[in-house]
Amino acid sequence: MIEIGAHVDLSHPPDRVWLALTDRELLGRWFAEADMVEGVPDRLLLHTAGLPGFDADVEVEVTERQVPELLSLRCDEAGRLTELTCAVIATKQGSRLTVREVPTHGSWSEEQHEPREQQLRQALTVRLPAILDWLAFQQVDLRRGEAGMTTELPVIGASGPARARRRRGAAVAGLAGAVLVAAVVAWLTLPGESEPAAAPSPSPTTSVPTMAGAAPTAQPKGTQSTRPSRSVTPTTARPSRTPSAKPSRTPTGAVPPPPPPLVARYDTDSSRLFGYTGEVVVDNPGRAPAEQWVVVVTLAEGSSVDDVEGADWRRDGQAITFSGLAVPAGGSRTIRFDVRDSRPKAREPEGCTVGGNPCAGL
């Protein structure tokens, strides 16, 4: 018996993923258009004819529903009967969706199986995340007012009185800004407090203090003298605002300790007939990114890797070597890979190492 299965990690909560699975309009955007079967509740007709791996449209009937965790369907594709299960599990990053289809009457040919599974994987890993991102954007709050958060989006193309009010508001704001700038300039150019005045001259004409070197100008009798000009030379120098260089905290000749080694743990994420999905999480306990790392998984004899996510890989016999992007300081990298096994009961890997050190979990 040949089955079809795929899974995907999504950065969205289970409720949003459940909506994309059960809403007919959304389902048509990322997988196939669906119509209700008249007179029969919980039954849909998926227009899959023409999709890779499908011979005709599929009539589906809901057999079990556990919102938002489990959706089970009975499928009929031109007499071929299958059971389709969609499981949604909450994760720290969002949720994980696992889809599994098992034939109960009839089966797919070898020519149908691969394109049908590829069609499902592409829908789950490309189109579904795009629809979920679109749904998330509809719920983004882009305005914050005194009344709190709102789900309304701001109006971009306003016209009429609203636009006129905004223009008047912009003009008032510009005028206020100009007044503020003028006030700052005036404050900066005002002279400081004058020095104590010298003893008055016995002459009846009051002289106006001037800059050094300039001739005094006579004032008419009875007029007030102008404000004395500010001295060009400041009385006191302002202290420098440039901070002094801090002494180095690194002792001369000290050698930093080597970074702690990476650690990894292995887990069999899901088992199925003739295969399973393995997962290796690489953790970096150090304070600097780990630029180079290597994980080697030794498979049991007769096993082969079908699909890998999260790392580059190469195969040498039964040893699968994984490498990839740097592991951030205090962070981790997750490697997921599908394993096919020629025996009905799949066997876990015989070994797993990271940097030559054994992985936990095996």
Side-chain angles (χ1 to χ4, degrees), residues 191-212:
E193 296 181 358
S194 60
E195 299 294 334
S201 171
S203 173
T205 303
T206 305
S207 63
V208 180
T210 59
M211 299 293 290

Side-chain angles (χ1 to χ4, degrees), residues 33 35 39 51 55 61 102 125-126 134 153 161 196 200-201 218 309-310 360:
E33 295 184 358
D35 291 329
L51 293 180
D55 293 333
E61 181 180 5
V102 179
T125 58
V126 179
W134 178 80
L153 296 178
S201 171
E309 299 176 4

Side-chain angles (χ1 to χ4, degrees), residues 182-225:
V184 172
V185 172
W187 178 81
L188 290 176
T189 56
L190 280 177
E193 296 181 358
S194 60
E195 299 294 334
S201 171
S203 173
T205 303
T206 305
S207 63
V208 180
T210 59
M211 299 293 290
T217 304
Q219 284 276 95
K221 189 175 183 180
T223 60
Q224 294 181 351
S225 62

Side-chain angles (χ1 to χ4, degrees), residues 142-166:
L142 296 181
R143 299 199 320 187
R144 294 176 173 87
E146 295 179 357
M149 307 294 280
T150 174
T151 57
E152 297 178 355
L153 296 178
V155 179
I156 302 301
S159 60
R163 178 177 295 178
R165 287 195 297 270
R166 283 204 299 273

Side-chain angles (χ1 to χ4, degrees), residues 12-22 64-71 86-90 94-98:
H12 296 273
D15 290 342
R16 188 175 297 148
V17 178
W18 179 266
L19 180 62
L21 292 174
T22 56
E64 186 177 0
R65 180 190 290 111
Q66 298 179 14
V67 183
E69 301 173 352
L70 180 65
L71 182 67
C86 302
V88 183
I89 302 175
S95 57
R96 174 175 296 170
L97 172 61
T98 302

